Amino acid sequence: RLAFIPEMAAAFFGGDDDNFTYPRYDLDMALLRAYENGKPARVEHFFRVNPAGASEGDLVFVSGHPGRTDRLKTYAMLEYYRDVTFPARLARAREVRALLGVYSARGPEEARRARTYLYFVENSLKAGEGEYRGLQDPALMATKLAREKALRDAVAKDPALAPYAGAWDEVAASLAWAREHEKDRLCKTSLGERGLAGVAVQLVRYATEAAKPDADRLEGFHEAQLPDLLRRLQAPAPYFRDLDEAMLAFELAKMVQGLGPGDPYVRVVLGGESPEAFAKKVLAGSRLADAAVRAALLKNRGRGVLRSADPLIELARRADPTMRETERLFREKVEAVEEEALTRVAKAGFAVYGGDAYPDATRTLRLAFGAISGYPFATTRVPAFTTFYGLYDRAYSFGQKGDFALPPKTAAHRGDLELATPLDFVCTADITGGNSGSPVVNRTGELVGLVFDGNATSHANTFVYDETDARCVAVDIRGILEALRKIYGAGALADEMVAGGRP
């Protein structure tokens, strides 16, 4: 159960301008209390809080479930990402950002509706741009190529490793096919990505897949995955018809632009209408925004979906065969080839380098380590720690406006704070998306911070790890305790944390 959460303006101070940057001044954390049988849980093993925090140069560890790194990917794959995948992906994200900006400018309510969506687009765009810069860095690509050549040379010299030798060439061949068909993936699989159109596709696929034996179903529709899918599809989340209309019209226009108005798939989807008129018509006639309607359609394994006359579901039923076939081709000719070949690349790495081979992040539990350390930037240095002094200075420097405005409580309690208290810090621990909320502990296992971000240069670590100026960003435990006691009047929570979870 939620015990404490700061205001958005404190947790995300600086907004998107400061996202993936450092120095940072965010109280990006929350406290929850675990319960068992309706009572606060008594936990035997936990990280004790060290109220003294840590110092620059200290060894620290980060435990968590990092989502994805691509260091195992071949040089040919990185070239493909650089030349094909990222340019298209970033261009589309920028167009979506512009569309949401235009929509938000209609008025305060529209801005509110689009805010969360716009945040995720901006966040994804900044991360993608950081990865793309890494792929464009000759030094990073040269490092990747040199490491790959060293491994391939070692494989070629050892007859016992011969089964692994062709893996790199097989990946390159699959990418040659992908280059010729990338337009299909961009234009024929995007309908189900967002909004009510995406809900309609999920409904149609649920009704189709649930009738099959479990082993024959698409990923995401296996019996063990259905409870989570059904919860998402029935959740009473708000859908805004005008925003959905703008987004669907955008996706349909990109489809026409990429494939041409005479393409069979375009004709099947639009039936000769313009993207704007078609989007307006199907959303005006759809009832899928109502959670009760979605729940009714899902009854009896979704049988009602297959005979529904809802225009969005009819659209999904027309589009899904082509979407499925496109996805199937890419799974068989690209993804399956890459998965099998990269497994051999990984085995080759373990055979040649033994325990020194470093596996990619895959959302499984791992322990990263590093040192608390500032780093060089341009002609100066970035400090390892920021303080409450810096928070107030940044707010006043921007005139207390927009995302740089202090929350009222933070502004009111300035005189109560020890302003030299560290608020955030950086370390060289190897983290990525999925590590947000991970504990940062010292060498004796005491909690000294909570991970909430990486800096901009850390994005290239997706492909090749380099700690020159890439950093993990964390909230300092001293800043958390100071804010609880001096800003929020939650001294009892702070005392309980320091006392080791004993009220």
Side-chain angles (χ1 to χ4, degrees):
R1 301 176 188 174
L2 186 64
F4 170 81
I5 191 168
E7 310 91 333
M8 179 72 166
F12 198 45
F13 177 80
D16 186 65
D17 289 309
D18 276 8
N19 193 22
F20 296 128
T21 67
Y22 196 79
R24 198 75 171 273
Y25 307 92
D26 289 2
L27 189 68
D28 194 348
M29 48 75 64
L31 299 175
L32 296 98
R33 189 186 303 281
Y35 281 75
E36 285 183 329
N37 302 318
K39 296 180 180 180
R42 294 290 182 174
V43 181
E44 180 182 357
H45 301 291
F46 57 91
F47 294 128
R48 294 189 177 275
V49 166
N50 185 339
S55 302
E56 183 159 16
D58 281 1
L59 172 66
V60 290
F61 301 86
V62 174
S63 66
H65 294 75
R68 175 190 62 85
T69 54
D70 289 328
R71 297 169 194 164
L72 187 65
K73 301 295 174 69
T74 67
Y75 183 79
M77 295 176 77
L78 266 57
E79 284 187 311
Y80 188 84
Y81 296 159
R82 181 194 64 198
D83 301 338
V84 179
T85 306
F86 274 82
R89 174 181 143 198
L90 295 175
R92 179 164 290 203
R94 293 185 187 108
E95 289 182 272
V96 172
R97 177 178 62 184
L99 183 153
L100 292 171
V102 171
Y103 175 84
S104 299
R106 295 180 186 176
E109 174 59 19
E110 287 81 359
R112 184 192 69 81
R113 292 176 179 181
R115 180 175 182 179
T116 299
Y117 192 6
L118 185 58
Y119 162 74
F120 283 112
V121 171
E122 292 278 16
N123 194 67
S124 176
L125 189 53
K126 278 196 170 182
E129 287 172 340
E131 292 180 352
Y132 188 43
R133 282 193 297 272
L135 294 171
Q136 292 177 304
D137 180 1
L140 182 149
M141 295 297 281
T143 298
K144 177 66 181 180
L145 185 60
R147 291 178 181 177
E148 182 171 303
K149 183 179 183 303
L151 179 57
R152 294 187 72 172
D153 288 347
V155 168
K157 292 176 182 177
D158 187 346
L161 303 181
Y164 306 141
W168 291 269
D169 293 333
E170 291 167 18
V171 168
S174 76
L175 292 174
W177 184 91
R179 282 180 185 269
E180 296 179 7
H181 297 84
E182 184 67 24
K183 183 172 64 175
D184 286 342
R185 175 153 57 181
L186 285 173
C187 299
K188 295 180 180 179
T189 63
S190 62
L191 187 64
E193 289 182 354
R194 51 176 68 90
L196 284 173
V199 170
V201 170
Q202 292 291 295
L203 287 168
V204 168
R205 290 195 169 184
Y206 167 73
T208 305
E209 297 300 311
K212 298 178 181 178
D214 191 70
D216 297 337
R217 297 180 193 175
L218 290 176
E219 181 61 30
F221 296 88
H222 295 296
E223 205 63 32
Q225 298 169 315
L226 291 184
D228 184 50
L229 173 69
L230 294 174
R231 276 194 296 271
R232 292 200 311 272
L233 289 175
Q234 297 177 85
Y239 290 95
F240 306 109
R241 198 174 299 278
D242 58 346
L243 179 56
D244 252 42
E245 182 184 315
M247 291 306 306
L248 179 57
F250 167 79
E251 292 295 345
L252 295 173
K254 296 300 292 184
M255 175 189 71
V256 175
Q257 178 185 339
L259 300 174
D263 184 87
Y265 179 65
V266 173
R267 292 201 301 269
V268 165
V269 170
L270 292 178
E273 296 189 65
S274 72
E276 295 76 13
F278 182 80
K280 187 177 186 68
K281 181 182 76 173
V282 295
L283 280 159
S286 177
R287 298 177 59 213
L288 293 186
D290 187 339
V293 170
R294 300 196 300 272
L297 288 170
L298 288 166
K299 289 181 179 178
N300 299 315
R301 308 286 277 186
R303 290 177 187 171
V305 174
L306 300 178
R307 58 178 181 268
S308 172
D310 188 283
L312 276 176
I313 290 181
E314 290 180 333
L315 167 63
R317 286 202 299 258
R318 293 197 307 273
D320 196 39
T322 300
M323 293 172 63
R324 284 172 175 266
E325 178 62 11
T326 305
E327 292 166 1
R328 183 190 67 80
L329 287 171
F330 272 86
R331 278 197 306 272
E332 291 181 1
K333 295 184 175 295
V334 182
E335 294 162 11
V337 174
E338 290 177 350
E339 183 175 347
E340 193 277 335
L342 291 179
T343 298
R344 287 152 61 204
V345 170
K347 289 181 177 179
F350 283 116
V352 172
Y353 302 118
D356 290 337
Y358 192 61
D360 268 320
T362 57
R363 300 190 186 280
T364 52
L365 182 64
R366 69 167 55 196
L367 190 68
F369 65 92
I372 294 179
S373 173
Y375 56 93
F377 178 75
T379 59
T380 185
R381 286 191 57 79
V382 175
F385 295 92
T386 63
T387 68
F388 283 98
Y389 273 121
L391 168 65
Y392 288 95
D393 176 72
R394 193 152 178 80
Y396 297 144
S397 296
F398 281 100
Q400 282 260 55
K401 295 179 181 177
D403 290 324
F404 295 98
L406 294 168
K409 286 185 178 180
T410 305
H413 288 282
R414 175 188 169 193
D416 299 324
L417 291 165
E418 175 53 62
L419 296 176
T421 304
L423 180 54
D424 295 333
F425 67 83
V426 286
C427 66
T428 60
D430 183 13
I431 60 105
T432 189
N435 273 117
S436 292
S438 290
V440 184
V441 301
N442 60 20
R443 64 175 64 235
T444 59
E446 296 172 320
L447 186 71
V448 296
L450 296 173
V451 173
F452 71 93
D453 211 351
N455 65 353
T457 47
S458 70
H459 293 137
N461 278 359
T462 297
F463 307 110
V464 175
Y465 179 73
D466 182 358
E467 65 179 40
T468 302
D469 57 359
R471 292 293 182 272
C472 160
V473 184
V475 191
D476 195 294
I477 190 63
R478 290 167 290 188
I480 293 173
L481 296 174
E482 185 77 358
L484 289 173
R485 289 179 171 133
K486 306 285 183 64
I487 297 177
Y488 297 102
L493 283 176
D495 292 343
E496 184 180 343
M497 291 168 64
V498 174
R502 297 292 180 261

